[in-house]
Coordinates of all heavy atoms in Angstrom, one line a residue:
Y967 N -174.0 -70.7 31.1 CA -174.7 -70.9 32.4 C -174.3 -69.7 33.3 O -173.1 -69.6 33.6 CB -174.0 -72.2 32.9 CG -174.5 -72.9 34.1 CD1 -175.8 -72.6 34.7 CD2 -173.7 -73.8 34.8 CE1 -176.2 -73.2 35.8 CE2 -174.1 -74.4 35.9 CZ -175.4 -74.2 36.5 OH -175.8 -74.8 37.6
H968 N -175.2 -68.9 33.6 CA -174.8 -67.6 34.3 C -175.0 -67.7 35.8 O -174.0 -67.9 36.5 CB -175.7 -66.5 33.7 CG -175.3 -65.2 34.1 ND1 -174.1 -64.7 34.1 CD2 -176.1 -64.1 34.6 CE1 -174.0 -63.4 34.6 NE2 -175.3 -63.1 34.9
L969 N -176.2 -67.6 36.3 CA -176.4 -67.6 37.8 C -177.4 -68.7 38.1 O -178.3 -69.0 37.4 CB -177.0 -66.3 38.3 CG -176.3 -65.0 37.9 CD1 -177.1 -63.8 38.5 CD2 -174.9 -65.0 38.6
E970 N -177.1 -69.5 39.2 CA -177.9 -70.7 39.5 C -178.2 -70.7 41.0 O -177.4 -70.4 41.9 CB -177.2 -71.9 39.1 CG -178.0 -73.2 39.1 CD -177.9 -74.0 40.5 OE1 -177.0 -73.6 41.3 OE2 -178.6 -75.0 40.6
G971 N -179.4 -71.2 41.4 CA -179.8 -71.4 42.7 C -180.6 -72.7 42.8 O -181.3 -73.1 41.9
S972 N -180.4 -73.4 44.0 CA -181.1 -74.6 44.2 C -181.5 -74.9 45.7 O -180.7 -74.3 46.6 CB -180.2 -75.8 43.7 OG -179.0 -75.9 44.4
D973 N -182.6 -75.5 45.9 CA -183.0 -75.8 47.2 C -182.3 -77.1 47.8 O -182.5 -78.2 47.2 CB -184.5 -76.1 47.2 CG -185.2 -76.2 48.6 OD1 -184.5 -76.6 49.5 OD2 -186.3 -75.8 48.7
H974 N -181.5 -76.9 48.8 CA -180.6 -78.0 49.3 C -181.5 -79.2 49.8 O -181.0 -80.3 49.8 CB -179.7 -77.5 50.4 CG -178.6 -78.4 50.8 ND1 -177.7 -78.8 49.9 CD2 -178.4 -79.0 52.0 CE1 -176.9 -79.6 50.5 NE2 -177.2 -79.8 51.7
A975 N -182.7 -78.9 50.2 CA -183.5 -80.0 50.7 C -183.8 -81.0 49.6 O -184.3 -82.2 49.9 CB -184.8 -79.4 51.3
F976 N -183.7 -80.7 48.3 CA -184.0 -81.5 47.2 C -182.8 -82.0 46.5 O -182.9 -82.4 45.3 CB -185.0 -80.8 46.3 CG -186.4 -80.5 46.8 CD1 -186.6 -79.4 47.6 CD2 -187.4 -81.5 46.7 CE1 -187.9 -79.1 48.1 CE2 -188.7 -81.2 47.2 CZ -188.9 -80.0 47.9
S977 N -181.7 -81.9 47.1 CA -180.4 -82.2 46.5 C -180.2 -83.6 45.9 O -179.4 -83.9 45.0 CB -179.2 -81.8 47.4 OG -179.3 -82.7 48.6
S978 N -181.0 -84.5 46.5 CA -180.9 -85.9 46.1 C -181.8 -86.3 44.9 O -181.8 -87.4 44.4 CB -181.2 -86.9 47.2 OG -182.6 -86.7 47.6
F979 N -182.6 -85.3 44.4 CA -183.6 -85.5 43.3 C -182.9 -85.4 42.0 O -183.7 -85.6 41.0 CB -184.7 -84.6 43.5 CG -185.7 -84.9 44.6 CD1 -185.3 -85.0 45.9 CD2 -187.0 -85.2 44.3 CE1 -186.2 -85.3 46.9 CE2 -188.0 -85.6 45.2 CZ -187.5 -85.6 46.5
G980 N -181.7 -85.0 41.8 CA -181.1 -84.8 40.5 C -181.6 -83.6 39.8 O -181.5 -83.5 38.5
A981 N -182.1 -82.6 40.5 CA -182.6 -81.4 39.8 C -181.6 -80.6 39.0 O -181.8 -80.1 37.9 CB -183.2 -80.5 40.9
N982 N -180.3 -80.5 39.5 CA -179.3 -79.7 38.8 C -178.9 -80.5 37.5 O -178.7 -79.9 36.5 CB -178.1 -79.6 39.7 CG -178.3 -78.5 40.8 OD1 -178.4 -77.4 40.5 ND2 -178.4 -79.0 42.0
N983 N -178.8 -81.8 37.6 CA -178.5 -82.6 36.4 C -179.6 -82.4 35.4 O -179.3 -82.2 34.2 CB -178.4 -84.1 36.8 CG -177.5 -84.4 37.9 OD1 -177.8 -84.0 39.1 ND2 -176.4 -85.0 37.7
F984 N -180.8 -82.5 35.8 CA -182.0 -82.3 34.9 C -182.0 -81.0 34.3 O -182.3 -80.9 33.1 CB -183.3 -82.6 35.8 CG -184.5 -82.7 35.0 CD1 -184.7 -83.6 34.0 CD2 -185.6 -81.8 35.2 CE1 -185.8 -83.7 33.2 CE2 -186.8 -81.9 34.5 CZ -186.9 -82.9 33.5
L985 N -181.7 -79.9 35.1 CA -181.7 -78.5 34.6 C -180.7 -78.4 33.5 O -181.1 -77.8 32.4 CB -181.3 -77.6 35.7 CG -181.1 -76.2 35.4 CD1 -182.5 -75.5 35.0 CD2 -180.5 -75.4 36.6

Side-chain angles (χ1 to χ4, degrees):
Y967 186 22
H968 188 47
L969 305 178
E970 190 265 353
S972 57
D973 189 329
H974 193 60
F976 294 86
S977 59
S978 64
F979 281 62
N982 288 291
N983 308 68
F984 189 57
L985 173 71

